[in-house]
Amino acid sequence: MVTLRKQYVVARQVYSEDSFAEDHEKICRVRKTILDHVKEYLTCDSKRAKNAVLALLPIIGWMKIYRVREWLLGDVVSGISTGLVAIMQGLAFSLLASLPPSYGLYTAFFPVLTYFFLGTSRHISVGSFPVLSLMVGAVVTRLVPEDRPPANITGFEGLTQDQQRVLVASSVTFLMGIFQLAMGVLQVGFVVVYLSDTLVSGFTTAAAIHILVSQLKFVLGLQVPGISGPLAIIYTLEKIFIQITSTNVCDLVMSIVIMVVVFIVKELNDRYKAKLPVPIPIEVFMTIITCGVSYGFSFETRYDVDVVGKMVSGYESPIAPSMEVFQESAMEAFPIAIVGFAVAFSVAKLYSIKHDYTIDGNQELIAFGVSNIFGASFRSFAASTALSRTAVQESSGGKTQVAGIISAMMAMIVTVALGFLLEPLPRSVLGALVIVNLKGMLIQFREIPYLWRRDKPECVVWMGTCLGAVLLGLDLGLAVGLGMELLTVVFRTQFPRCSVLANIPGTDLYRDHKDYLHIFEPKGVKIFRIPSPIFFANIEFFRDKLVEAVGFNPLRILRKRNKALGKINKLLQEKDGHITERGLADLFCQTTDKSCINVEELDLPTDLKGLPFRMDWKIELPTNISVPRVDLHSLILDFSAVSFLDISALKGLKTALKDFIRVGVDVYIVSCDAYILEKLHIFMFFDDDIVTSMFFPTLHDAMLQVLEKHKEDKSQGSLLADTKL
Amino acid sequence: MVTLRKQYVVARQVYSEDSFAEDHEKICRVRKTILDHVKEYLTCDSKRAKNAVLALLPIIGWMKIYRVREWLLGDVVSGISTGLVAIMQGLAFSLLASLPPSYGLYTAFFPVLTYFFLGTSRHISVGSFPVLSLMVGAVVTRLVPEDRPPANITGFEGLTQDQQRVLVASSVTFLMGIFQLAMGVLQVGFVVVYLSDTLVSGFTTAAAIHILVSQLKFVLGLQVPGISGPLAIIYTLEKIFIQITSTNVCDLVMSIVIMVVVFIVKELNDRYKAKLPVPIPIEVFMTIITCGVSYGFSFETRYDVDVVGKMVSGYESPIAPSMEVFQESAMEAFPIAIVGFAVAFSVAKLYSIKHDYTIDGNQELIAFGVSNIFGASFRSFAASTALSRTAVQESSGGKTQVAGIISAMMAMIVTVALGFLLEPLPRSVLGALVIVNLKGMLIQFREIPYLWRRDKPECVVWMGTCLGAVLLGLDLGLAVGLGMELLTVVFRTQFPRCSVLANIPGTDLYRDHKDYLHIFEPKGVKIFRIPSPIFFANIEFFRDKLVEAVGFNPLRILRKRNKALGKINKLLQEKDGHITERGLADLFCQTTDKSCINVEELDLPTDLKGLPFRMDWKIELPTNISVPRVDLHSLILDFSAVSFLDISALKGLKTALKDFIRVGVDVYIVSCDAYILEKLHIFMFFDDDIVTSMFFPTLHDAMLQVLEKHKEDKSQGSLLADTKL
């Protein structure tokens, strides 16, 4: 099946970057400096001011286009369904935060109010998120442990243990809000890109394991004090297994039944998604049923089941955060702020793409910052969003944050009026509901073999993040994961495959000389491809590879030549009859004893001026002088994949190039990015040895230039230059 | 000055990567798997065994070539001079480690003995290093503070404070040795490349500040307890200023005199380096003089000067390290191990290049690991090398580690016999000598403006490392610096300059279309250059830039087309007279209410099969249906600078490409690295939409292919294809 192929015909002059610049006029583009950007950023006119206000209050934007008749019904229905889920999750996740359940209802209420005005996402359901709750819980149990006296904080005086815990949780949330607000104001919302999918997957899997372990005590009906810090999970498991014999069978049986039922119904919901008008709200049913059963059979007194108990009815007065808690928990509040925002942003983005509107990362940071600060003042804990709840809000027809407000109202009703109905609810039921919802997170273990087959560094990051977060705790684990992830970027470019290229005969294409049978490698020319950016971590590697590729170390050659030159000069003096005893001693010294003292001089370019004849290192030297022959006359470095250079790389590169130039090898650099070439001037890369004329736009240009310069090898020149198909 | 330039003439067929592979036979190279490497590594034969032994005991190598007559004299002279310096530094640096001075002499003795056998460097002087001593001192003062009871460690019972400190220092050193040995055995010596010049410069400057502050109390003759942990430097300065009025004037005056004299003589040494046979050993003179003066005028009793005092005479029995100290100091011993090795390796490398022999990083790690373990057993503390001492050893004629052994003998003589002579030496003298030697490290502040002008990220790393190490302590500061440095690598590739390329008329060259006046951009073709690797941190950035460059969002177009198609189908049904009330309602629903429920369907490729006519999105559609026109028919992505892709990038890239392909844009990828192309197959990047035939070896090949395919624009095709000069 031979098809007539199009011909590739090019005839132009050979360009170096210099001659190219001469022939082709470049537009002088004035690049903005940092100062210009700042100035522009600070310029203010009425339009900008209006836009800024609109950006700060996104509600103005969507309220104007709100279609009451079409959207309101959907929002109300969605708000009610989401509200039910939010109440359930609020109660359950407050156990993760080691707080009384009523504070979970606060978290489903207060942050929503401010997000309504400030948030750019129309679909996310603001409120508690299990991983965040757990991270707050780690701080709470560290500062107010169950089995030991609380940390030495003045604000704790005269408070009950629960009140102390609420103070810690709200202070951490306040601080988290400050961090988020600050990041939003500083416009650094882009930091979430550092949390790659792999990292987040490993991290959330570890969080699921933590959540599972933390809920075991409720499911088993055991009294296990919360433990925090590195290896906390091991100690917790140890404490659970020590008292496993005192398991409350009533709790355990009830939990298992609930888990099985909920699991099955959820699978059915998934399978018959298309046929069901709405998914069966099995969790709500189970809660109502167990509430009734527990009340009817007085589980609390008869089976000693731990129940939700007295709910705080209504709202409490706002509290000020504790500065001392700020100091104690600053290192933990920062990762909480990051994780909270990252989760909310990724969920918001998912739905913004689906429904084709834009969200603004920095405004989201501001919205969550303010919401958390506001919520914390009213004793709620860390708010973000949960994918499961947001999915309910969106799939049940929610169009805007009006649905969010309605769900908040539901939480308010329960707090103010219906809380007493939840009092007989066993805590083990909440624990079981939390555990059964971990399936989606735990299933991520499947990614390990997938990643291993495709990309090993990525798999290592996953496992490292997960193991780190499981063993060291979520905050340290996140730091470990981030460090590993950044390392992979460096690692991928640290040991790249350098290759020596060769011409594919009859074309202007160059490929790895080991890969192809029919190649053309002119004598005395080496083409070395640098396949990655050059920076501190790989500059030495490149220099070694380059020396390996050319087959000699130019510095060593240079020294040997300089030594030989010294000898030759002596020999010349000898011939001239000027030899003295002192001269002989000097000659002896130079070659043996003092050679290292003058070693710096040996690194200078060989000075051939004083010689009465033209020195050619390739010809035979006097028998007692040996200098290795250098067959290379041109070295071409392919810079096409060099996307940046740092200062270490520049220094190393400069030295390496100088060494080659000093032993008489012409160095050519080809396909260098225009922007990098510009930077090289700024970095003062050029001097007497290293000049701009060594830069060529393409490899073939440089090759033609080399062949032109070394025309003696006639056959080669013609072979390449006039290649025709 | 017009020179006749060489012509660039190429005539060949247009290649895609597929047709290129057909025409040019590739050699099937069997790549080694990890397993092969492991197998090869574990293969054993007599030659390998012999080489391994030689590598493990480098002394065999250089002892065989030892030229007794030429080298021995130099080694002895050098050993004696180095020994004097080593004794001085040992005494002084033991103050940094908060230990009695005699242990500094141990450090100048024991580690040298093992390094003699195991080390590959012939010139470095093994022994104490100020930064390391300070880092050990931080652990010592944390576990055994002066003004509070020591940490709760069982091994401390029945020991004096000094003995406790020695136990801590030797345990930390032991652990550091274990880390170094382990790294050497695991062959991970390459980790030192992560400590870039910038990082090391910032770090050592911070260390110099710490050393300066720690020596102030000796110079001023004050009693200040050692403080460790974050902000320790601030608290130390506070304590010093509180009691500044109780300064011992004798100490202060003596210190200032010594500092001035030593400073001046050192400057003179530098200036007249060429004329002086050896530098004046001013520090040794000053020590001897002050020793004598202090003894003669009984400084200790008369002026209450703090002197070195009772030296331990001779050697003590070995001690076992404390496991409890291991646990307490593991997080600090690791950075100590890294810093110790990094310093030694960089100094060793300097001299190995100068004297043209090779050193082996991993063997150095083993050598220092064993030396530190051995030394720690005999109560010496962390050993590495100091550039100043090594410079003395090399410049005074040292050729091999025989000089090191002689200097160790000098230290032994002082320990065993002459220690009493040093007893009247005021500690302030040692402090003054340490401070005056910081000049070289503090002068590195000059790098700030240099780096700022050249490369701002690098400058930020310097300042961040320095500030971090000053405020948080050296170990945490090193971690902060490393994190920042890794971030810069990511940051440099995170917001790269994407550009749209255009043909330079008459050539096969393509440049940024904004940079040149005369360019050729065929209609309907966009060439987008990706100037950096693609990975998790910049894939979203690229997708945004790509959408910006082409001027439309392909996903949005696809959805609009699918919606329009739905409408057209309805209209067709209407025409056929099959319209029912239900059909009308559906039509209404699809465009308004239910559109989001079926939103997934809108992302599928437009299905044009059912239509009775050929759909052309560019022609006018019925008036009530509007779909934005897409004028682009081909998108060429220049991958020449893409040196790697990670999994996030692959996923994002695949989605982006699919979106373009589904709206009928042909995508071409050019200049993709052969190795990356191979990886794409492993990653399962290709499917029905994304095929290998979209890859082309050069931009010009792809452009010719595009012009051939869209021949209707005759003028354009001819303009480009037959370009002649």
Side-chain angles (χ1 to χ4, degrees):
Chain A
M1 203 183 84
V2 179
T3 51
L4 264 176
R5 281 169 182 170
K6 177 93 182 134
Q7 284 293 303
Y8 178 112
V9 182
V10 172
R12 57 170 174 88
Q13 63 180 37
V14 170
Y15 282 122
S16 73
E17 287 285 350
D18 284 351
S19 63
F20 183 81
E22 265 171 43
D23 282 10
H24 296 91
E25 201 179 339
K26 207 169 171 178
I27 300 169
C28 180
R29 284 163 72 188
V30 181
R31 293 249 155 77
K32 282 180 189 168
T33 62
I34 296 178
L35 204 70
D36 292 335
H37 281 287
V38 171
K39 264 186 199 159
E40 192 178 298
Y41 186 76
L42 295 178
T43 319
C44 185
D45 56 40
S46 65
K47 202 181 164 193
R48 277 181 70 106
K50 196 182 150 198
N51 282 341
V53 171
L54 278 179
L56 272 176
L57 283 174
I59 186 174
I60 301 174
W62 60 261
M63 264 298 173
K64 272 200 290 199
I65 57 158
Y66 196 86
R67 298 185 221 158
V68 179
R69 275 174 49 198
E70 288 162 28
W71 291 359
L72 191 59
L73 184 67
D75 275 343
V76 171
V77 171
S78 154
I80 292 170
S81 357
T82 314
L84 287 174
V85 179
I87 292 163
M88 295 291 316
Q89 292 192 340
L91 292 175
F93 297 161
S94 59
L95 295 186
L96 288 175
S98 307
L99 293 174
S102 50
Y103 295 97
L105 296 179
Y106 289 10
T107 310
F109 178 68
F110 290 108
V112 183
L113 302 183
T114 38
Y115 188 84
F116 179 69
F117 294 100
L118 299 171
T120 56
S121 170
R122 300 186 202 155
H123 292 90
I124 64 170
S125 163
V126 174
S128 51
F129 176 62
V131 177
L132 277 196
S133 308
L134 192 75
M135 290 174 92
V136 170
V139 185
V140 168
T141 51
R142 185 168 64 81
L143 294 184
V144 192
E146 267 153 61
D147 49 350
R148 274 166 298 144
N152 187 17
I153 286 169
T154 46
F156 281 179
E157 281 157 26
L159 297 181
T160 64
Q161 197 186 51
D162 276 349
Q163 285 171 330
Q164 290 173 350
R165 293 190 153 200
V166 170
L167 179 62
V168 171
S170 67
S171 300
V172 171
T173 306
F174 200 99
L175 188 55
M176 162 200 183
I178 292 175
F179 281 133
Q180 288 179 334
L181 186 59
M183 286 195 289
V185 170
L186 295 173
Q187 307 271 309
V188 290
F190 70 85
V191 293
V192 288
V193 298
Y194 295 127
L195 306 177
S196 71
D197 293 350
T198 309
L199 180 84
V200 168
S201 167
F203 180 75
T204 49
T205 309
I209 294 171
H210 274 288
I211 292 171
L212 182 66
V213 171
S214 76
Q215 296 304 297
L216 274 184
K217 66 173 175 184
F218 295 112
V219 168
L220 298 173
L222 299 176
Q223 292 293 329
V224 180
I227 300 167
S228 55
L231 299 184
I233 199 163
I234 309 281
Y235 298 133
T236 308
L237 282 175
E238 189 194 349
K239 292 217 171 177
I240 288 175
F241 280 111
I242 284 173
Q243 39 172 320
I244 194 106
T245 48
S246 10
T247 300
N248 185 322
V249 179
C250 176
D251 269 328
L252 183 59
V253 170
M254 197 160 48
S255 303
I256 292 177
V257 169
I258 287 173
M259 284 197 264
V260 170
V261 171
V262 172
F263 185 82
I264 292 173
V265 175
K266 286 206 154 204
E267 288 293 307
L268 292 177
N269 273 346
D270 258 16
R271 192 166 301 170
Y272 301 107
K273 201 162 37 174
K275 291 181 187 166
L276 291 170
V278 282
I280 304 166
I282 182 66
E283 282 143 318
V284 177
F285 289 161
M286 293 314 286
T287 312
I288 294 171
I289 292 168
T290 45
C291 251
V293 171
S294 168
Y295 181 73
F297 295 90
S298 349
F299 274 8
E300 187 180 5
T301 48
R302 199 179 297 177
Y303 301 109
D304 197 23
V305 162
D306 200 8
V307 298
V308 165
K310 190 88 192 84
M311 299 276 284
V312 183
S313 180
Y315 292 102
E316 298 171 54
S317 57
I319 50 169
S322 155
M323 287 297 148
E324 279 170 278
V325 176
F326 279 10
Q327 281 180 10
E328 287 282 335
S329 64
M331 293 290 270
E332 284 143 314
F334 190 70
I336 295 178
I338 295 280
V339 170
F341 171 61
V343 169
F345 185 70
S346 63
V347 174
K349 201 164 171 191
L350 204 69
Y351 288 99
S352 81
I353 291 175
K354 187 166 175 190
H355 294 284
D356 201 15
Y357 60 89
T358 54
I359 54 167
D360 174 353
N362 294 313
Q363 176 61 22
E364 283 296 290
L365 266 173
I366 292 175
F368 275 101
V370 172
S371 298
N372 276 316
I373 291 173
F374 176 73
S377 311
F378 288 92
R379 302 171 193 239
S380 75
F381 58 86
S384 169
T385 187
L387 181 56
S388 56
R389 207 167 57 235
T390 303
V392 170
Q393 178 163 334
E394 193 256 3
S395 64
S396 57
K399 292 273 177 296
T400 65
Q401 283 299 336
V402 171
I405 283 290
I406 304 224
S407 81
M409 293 304 141
M410 299 273 297
M412 187 183 74
I413 291 168
V414 173
T415 303
V416 176
L418 303 177
F420 69 96
L421 291 178
L422 290 168
E423 286 174 9
L425 181 66
R427 292 193 174 202
S428 52
V429 172
L430 292 175
L433 290 179
V434 168
I435 288 177
V436 82
N437 276 302
L438 294 176
K439 187 193 147 208
M441 278 153 101
L442 288 173
I443 224 167
Q444 295 178 115
F445 270 115
R446 278 196 205 153
E447 288 195 21
I448 298 181
Y450 172 88
L451 288 175
W452 181 254
R453 275 197 310 273
R454 277 168 180 73
D455 198 21
K456 297 194 179 40
E458 205 97 21
C459 186
V460 172
V461 169
W462 197 100
M463 291 200 288
T465 310
C466 185
L467 264 181
V470 166
L471 295 178
L472 300 176
L474 290 176
D475 38 8
L476 271 179
L478 190 66
V480 168
L482 263 175
M484 290 183 71
E485 192 186 53
L486 294 180
L487 260 180
T488 54
V489 176
V490 174
F491 202 78
R492 278 176 209 273
T493 47
Q494 192 170 8
F495 305 112
R497 293 195 171 196
C498 297
S499 46
V500 172
L501 303 185
N503 182 252
I504 303 291
T507 72
D508 55 341
L509 301 176
Y510 292 77
R511 296 287 166 108
D512 189 339
H513 73 148
K514 285 188 192 156
D515 270 349
Y516 289 88
L517 271 177
H518 304 290
I519 48 163
F520 168 59
E521 283 187 289
K523 243 182 99 184
V525 186
K526 274 274 178 219
I527 310 169
F528 186 73
R529 177 170 157 79
I530 297 178
S532 82
I534 318 179
F535 59 107
F536 62 89
N538 62 13
I539 175 69
E540 283 302 315
F541 180 81
F542 279 123
R543 290 178 64 171
D544 292 348
K545 284 279 163 187
L546 185 56
V547 164
E548 199 180 290
V550 299
F552 63 89
N553 184 338
L555 185 61
R556 201 170 292 174
I557 301 282
L558 184 64
R559 286 184 184 167
K560 290 210 166 138
R561 284 189 184 176
N562 270 319
K563 277 188 193 173
L565 203 66
K567 280 193 197 173
I568 290 166
N569 276 326
K570 293 285 156 198
L571 284 174
L572 288 173
Q573 280 181 22
E574 220 168 312
K575 270 186 195 156
D576 293 357
H578 294 304
I579 191 149
T580 60
E581 232 167 299
R582 167 111 187 101
L584 254 179
D586 273 1
L587 183 59
F588 177 75
C589 284
Q590 184 140 18
T591 50
T592 57
D593 211 4
K594 286 200 182 153
S595 61
C596 32
I597 293 171
N598 295 325
V599 79
E600 283 87 0
E601 281 172 23
L602 295 180
D603 293 355
L604 295 175
T606 41
D607 181 15
L608 302 174
K609 270 180 220 148
L611 290 181
F613 53 84
R614 206 179 152 270
M615 187 75 197
D616 185 350
W617 295 108
K618 281 183 193 158
I619 58 163
E620 284 287 307
L621 294 171
T623 42
N624 60 337
I625 302 172
S626 83
V627 171
R629 275 186 59 166
V630 173
D631 289 328
L632 193 75
H633 56 68
S634 303
L635 174 67
I636 305 179
L637 298 178
D638 180 359
F639 260 44
S640 58
V642 176
S643 43
F644 67 86
L645 288 154
D646 74 354
I647 288 207
S648 312
L650 282 170
K651 283 185 196 157
L653 193 66
K654 199 165 175 171
T655 321
L657 296 188
K658 266 187 196 257
D659 287 347
F660 276 104
I661 291 167
R662 284 182 178 168
V663 294
V665 175
D666 292 331
V667 178
Y668 300 87
I669 294 176
V670 302
S671 306
C672 183
D673 189 276
Y675 181 56
I676 290 179
L677 206 53
E678 224 171 78
K679 279 247 160 174
L680 290 180
H681 283 283
I682 301 172
F683 286 149
M684 294 170 225
F685 186 66
F686 299 103
D687 57 16
D688 294 344
D689 288 334
I690 296 171
V691 289
T692 52
S693 64
M694 61 167 61
F695 285 81
F696 281 76
T698 74
L699 233 167
H700 202 56
D701 280 294
M703 183 58 109
L704 294 177
Q705 172 70 27
V706 167
L707 294 177
E708 171 77 7
K709 199 172 167 187
H710 299 268
K711 253 186 177 164
E712 53 267 44
D713 309 333
K714 274 277 180 212
S715 57
Q716 295 188 1
S718 62
L719 192 87
L720 229 177
D722 307 323
T723 45
K724 291 264 186 296
L725 191 70
Chain B
M1 203 183 84
V2 180
T3 51
L4 262 177
R5 282 166 179 172
K6 177 94 183 132
Q7 283 293 301
Y8 178 111
V9 182
V10 172
R12 58 171 172 87
Q13 64 181 35
V14 170
Y15 282 122
S16 73
E17 287 286 351
D18 284 351
S19 63
F20 183 82
E22 264 171 44
D23 282 10
H24 296 89
E25 202 179 337
K26 208 169 170 178
I27 300 169
C28 181
R29 285 163 73 189
V30 182
R31 294 249 155 75
K32 281 180 190 167
T33 62
I34 297 177
L35 203 71
D36 292 334
H37 280 287
V38 172
K39 264 188 200 159
E40 192 177 299
Y41 186 75
L42 294 178
T43 319
C44 186
D45 56 40
S46 65
K47 202 181 163 193
R48 276 181 71 105
K50 196 182 151 199
N51 281 342
V53 170
L54 278 179
L56 272 176
L57 284 174
I59 187 174
I60 300 175
W62 59 262
M63 264 302 174
K64 271 200 290 200
I65 57 158
Y66 196 86
R67 299 186 220 157
V68 179
R69 275 174 50 199
E70 290 163 26
W71 291 359
L72 191 58
L73 184 67
D75 275 342
V76 170
V77 171
S78 154
I80 292 170
S81 357
T82 314
L84 286 175
V85 179
I87 293 163
M88 295 289 317
Q89 292 192 341
L91 293 175
F93 297 162
S94 59
L95 295 187
L96 288 175
S98 307
L99 295 173
S102 50
Y103 295 97
L105 296 180
Y106 289 9
T107 310
F109 178 68
F110 290 107
V112 183
L113 303 183
T114 38
Y115 189 84
F116 179 71
F117 295 99
L118 298 171
T120 55
S121 170
R122 301 187 202 154
H123 292 90
I124 64 170
S125 163
V126 174
S128 51
F129 175 61
V131 177
L132 277 196
S133 309
L134 193 74
M135 290 173 91
V136 170
V139 185
V140 168
T141 51
R142 184 167 66 80
L143 295 183
V144 192
E146 267 153 61
D147 49 351
R148 274 167 297 144
N152 186 18
I153 285 168
T154 46
F156 281 179
E157 281 158 26
L159 297 182
T160 65
Q161 196 186 54
D162 276 349
Q163 285 170 330
Q164 289 172 351
R165 293 188 154 201
V166 170
L167 178 62
V168 171
S170 67
S171 301
V172 171
T173 306
F174 200 98
L175 188 56
M176 161 200 183
I178 292 176
F179 281 133
Q180 289 179 333
L181 186 58
M183 286 195 288
V185 171
L186 295 174
Q187 307 272 308
V188 291
F190 70 84
V191 293
V192 289
V193 298
Y194 295 128
L195 305 178
S196 71
D197 292 351
T198 309
L199 181 84
V200 168
S201 166
F203 179 75
T204 49
T205 309
I209 294 171
H210 275 287
I211 293 171
L212 181 67
V213 170
S214 76
Q215 297 304 297
L216 274 184
K217 66 173 173 183
F218 296 113
V219 168
L220 297 172
L222 299 176
Q223 292 293 330
V224 180
I227 299 166
S228 55
L231 300 183
I233 199 163
I234 308 282
Y235 299 132
T236 308
L237 282 176
E238 190 195 348
K239 293 217 171 177
I240 288 174
F241 280 111
I242 284 173
Q243 39 171 318
I244 194 106
T245 48
S246 9
T247 299
N248 186 322
V249 180
C250 175
D251 270 329
L252 184 59
V253 170
M254 197 160 47
S255 302
I256 291 175
V257 169
I258 286 173
M259 284 196 265
V260 170
V261 170
V262 172
F263 185 82
I264 292 173
V265 175
K266 286 206 154 203
E267 289 293 308
L268 293 176
N269 273 345
D270 258 15
R271 191 166 301 170
Y272 301 107
K273 201 162 38 175
K275 291 181 187 167
L276 291 169
V278 283
I280 304 165
I282 181 68
E283 282 143 317
V284 176
F285 291 160
M286 293 313 285
T287 311
I288 294 169
I289 293 168
T290 45
C291 250
V293 171
S294 167
Y295 180 73
F297 294 90
S298 344
F299 273 8
E300 188 180 5
T301 49
R302 200 179 298 176
Y303 301 108
D304 197 21
V305 162
D306 200 10
V307 298
V308 165
K310 190 87 193 84
M311 298 276 283
V312 183
S313 181
Y315 292 103
E316 297 171 55
S317 56
I319 50 169
S322 155
M323 288 296 149
E324 280 170 279
V325 176
F326 279 10
Q327 280 180 11
E328 287 282 334
S329 64
M331 294 289 270
E332 283 142 315
F334 189 70
I336 295 178
I338 295 281
V339 170
F341 170 62
V343 168
F345 185 70
S346 64
V347 173
K349 199 162 172 193
L350 205 68
Y351 287 100
S352 80
I353 291 174
K354 188 166 175 189
H355 293 284
D356 202 15
Y357 59 89
T358 54
I359 55 166
D360 175 351
N362 293 313
Q363 176 61 24
E364 283 297 288
L365 265 173
I366 293 175
F368 274 101
V370 171
S371 299
N372 276 316
I373 291 173
F374 176 73
S377 312
F378 287 92
R379 300 171 197 239
S380 75
F381 58 86
S384 168
T385 187
L387 181 56
S388 56
R389 206 167 57 235
T390 304
V392 169
Q393 178 163 334
E394 192 255 3
S395 65
S396 58
K399 292 273 177 293
T400 64
Q401 283 299 335
V402 171
I405 282 288
I406 307 236
S407 82
M409 294 303 142
M410 299 274 296
M412 187 183 72
I413 291 167
V414 173
T415 302
V416 175
L418 305 177
F420 70 94
L421 290 178
L422 291 166
E423 287 174 9
L425 180 66
R427 293 194 174 201
S428 53
V429 172
L430 291 175
L433 290 179
V434 168
I435 289 177
V436 82
N437 275 304
L438 294 177
K439 187 193 148 206
M441 277 153 101
L442 288 173
I443 224 168
Q444 296 179 113
F445 270 115
R446 277 196 206 153
E447 288 196 19
I448 297 181
Y450 172 88
L451 288 175
W452 180 254
R453 274 197 310 275
R454 277 167 179 73
D455 197 22
K456 296 193 179 42
E458 205 97 20
C459 186
V460 171
V461 169
W462 196 100
M463 292 200 289
T465 311
C466 185
L467 264 181
V470 166
L471 294 178
L472 300 175
L474 290 176
D475 37 8
L476 270 179
L478 190 66
V480 168
L482 263 174
M484 290 182 72
E485 193 187 53
L486 295 180
L487 259 180
T488 55
V489 176
V490 174
F491 203 78
R492 279 176 209 271
T493 47
Q494 192 170 9
F495 306 112
R497 290 196 172 196
C498 297
S499 46
V500 172
L501 303 185
N503 182 252
I504 304 290
T507 72
D508 55 341
L509 301 176
Y510 293 78
R511 295 287 166 110
D512 189 340
H513 72 148
K514 285 187 191 157
D515 271 349
Y516 289 88
L517 271 177
H518 304 291
I519 49 163
F520 168 59
E521 284 187 289
K523 241 183 100 184
V525 185
K526 275 273 177 219
I527 310 169
F528 187 75
R529 177 170 156 78
I530 297 177
S532 81
I534 318 178
F535 58 107
F536 62 89
N538 63 12
I539 174 70
E540 283 302 315
F541 180 81
F542 279 125
R543 289 180 64 172
D544 292 348
K545 285 278 163 189
L546 185 56
V547 165
E548 199 180 289
V550 298
F552 62 89
N553 184 336
L555 185 61
R556 201 168 292 174
I557 303 281
L558 184 66
R559 285 184 184 168
K560 289 209 167 140
R561 284 189 184 176
N562 270 320
K563 277 188 192 174
L565 203 67
K567 280 192 198 174
I568 291 167
N569 275 328
K570 293 286 155 196
L571 285 175
L572 287 174
Q573 281 181 20
E574 219 167 312
K575 269 185 195 156
D576 293 358
H578 293 304
I579 190 148
T580 59
E581 232 165 300
R582 167 111 186 102
L584 255 179
D586 273 1
L587 183 58
F588 177 75
C589 284
Q590 184 138 21
T591 51
T592 58
D593 212 4
K594 288 202 183 151
S595 60
C596 33
I597 293 170
N598 296 325
V599 80
E600 283 88 359
E601 282 172 24
L602 295 180
D603 293 355
L604 295 176
T606 40
D607 181 14
L608 302 174
K609 271 181 222 148
L611 289 181
F613 53 85
R614 203 177 154 273
M615 188 76 195
D616 184 350
W617 295 108
K618 281 182 194 159
I619 58 163
E620 284 288 306
L621 293 171
T623 42
N624 60 338
I625 301 171
S626 83
V627 171
R629 274 187 59 166
V630 173
D631 288 327
L632 193 76
H633 57 68
S634 303
L635 174 68
I636 305 179
L637 298 178
D638 180 359
F639 260 45
S640 58
V642 177
S643 44
F644 68 85
L645 288 153
D646 74 353
I647 287 208
S648 312
L650 282 170
K651 281 185 198 159
L653 193 66
K654 198 165 175 173
T655 321
L657 296 188
K658 267 188 195 252
D659 288 346
F660 277 104
I661 291 168
R662 284 183 179 168
V663 294
V665 175
D666 293 331
V667 178
Y668 300 87
I669 294 176
V670 301
S671 307
C672 183
D673 189 278
Y675 181 56
I676 290 180
L677 206 55
E678 223 171 80
K679 278 247 160 176
L680 289 180
H681 283 283
I682 301 172
F683 285 149
M684 293 170 224
F685 186 66
F686 300 103
D687 57 17
D688 294 343
D689 289 333
I690 296 172
V691 289
T692 51
S693 64
M694 61 166 63
F695 284 81
F696 280 76
T698 75
L699 233 167
H700 202 55
D701 280 295
M703 184 58 110
L704 294 176
Q705 172 70 25
V706 167
L707 294 177
E708 171 77 7
K709 197 172 169 186
H710 298 267
K711 251 186 179 163
E712 52 268 43
D713 309 334
K714 274 277 180 212
S715 58
Q716 295 188 1
S718 62
L719 193 87
L720 230 176
D722 307 323
T723 44
K724 292 263 185 293
L725 190 71

